[in-house]
Amino acid sequence: MRGILLFALLFGLFASPGEVWARSGPECMTAWSRAVRSYLSQNRKATPDGKVPDDLDGEEMAAQAWMEAFRPACELEQSGDSSEARVQAALTGTLILARLDPQGCEAFLLSYMSSDRPRDICSAAGQGIDVRDDIARSIPER
């Protein structure tokens, strides 16, 4: 009897690892927004579009805006497409950082995403050039 119970427990743990290890949407958005914001060396309180809040309510709204910026990537992650989710999150972070802090953009792509072309990608993103394919080719899969 204990053998059957142990088998059922182990089968339940290993049969659906995606469900066991998947992050929730808010956890995903929080993780990405914190990671990208940590590469800001200037405009640390700014929203993703560069506006600086005037008060605590504005700062809370800015935090929510940062999280919402990563919703598309986190929805991809929730659907199980983790490699495309990673590219989307890297693209979102790159576009925001290229506008707010070009040096932070390069540091994010180099250190956090392990890109082999951070300067080129951030420069192009800052000029409004579509860099999705460049990002996808320059970051390793996880």
Side-chain angles (χ1 to χ4, degrees):
M1 181 67 167
R2 284 194 321 198
I4 293 172
L5 184 59
L6 180 60
F7 174 78
L9 178 63
L10 289 174
F11 181 78
L13 286 175
F14 294 109
S16 56
E19 293 176 24
V20 173
W21 300 107
R23 293 187 288 194
S24 71
E27 287 174 328
C28 175
M29 291 187 299
T30 298
W32 277 111
S33 65
R34 284 183 180 168
V36 171
R37 284 180 88 174
S38 73
Y39 286 92
L40 286 172
S41 61
Q42 54 194 11
N43 301 319
R44 285 193 157 272
K45 292 187 176 185
T47 63
D49 59 3
K51 297 176 184 165
V52 178
D54 296 330
D55 55 20
L56 285 175
D57 289 337
E59 288 181 22
E60 176 59 31
M61 291 181 72
Q64 290 174 5
W66 274 95
M67 288 179 61
E68 286 299 316
F70 291 95
R71 181 177 295 281
C74 293
E75 287 174 350
L76 285 168
E77 183 178 296
Q78 292 290 301
S79 73
D81 194 352
S82 61
S83 61
E84 185 59 30
R86 189 165 190 271
V87 170
Q88 179 62 41
L91 175 64
T92 300
T94 298
L95 294 175
I96 293 169
L97 289 170
R99 187 173 52 252
L100 298 179
D101 187 343
Q103 288 179 333
C105 179
E106 288 182 33
F108 166 70
L109 281 176
L110 180 65
S111 300
Y112 197 77
M113 301 306 300
S114 302
S115 171
D116 59 5
R117 297 185 38 232
R119 178 167 288 156
D120 296 339
I121 292 171
C122 290
S123 176
Q127 296 172 35
I129 297 170
D130 182 9
V131 293
R132 174 183 288 280
D133 291 339
D134 294 321
I135 289 173
R137 285 191 297 269
S138 79
I139 62 174
E141 287 191 34
R142 299 259 163 144

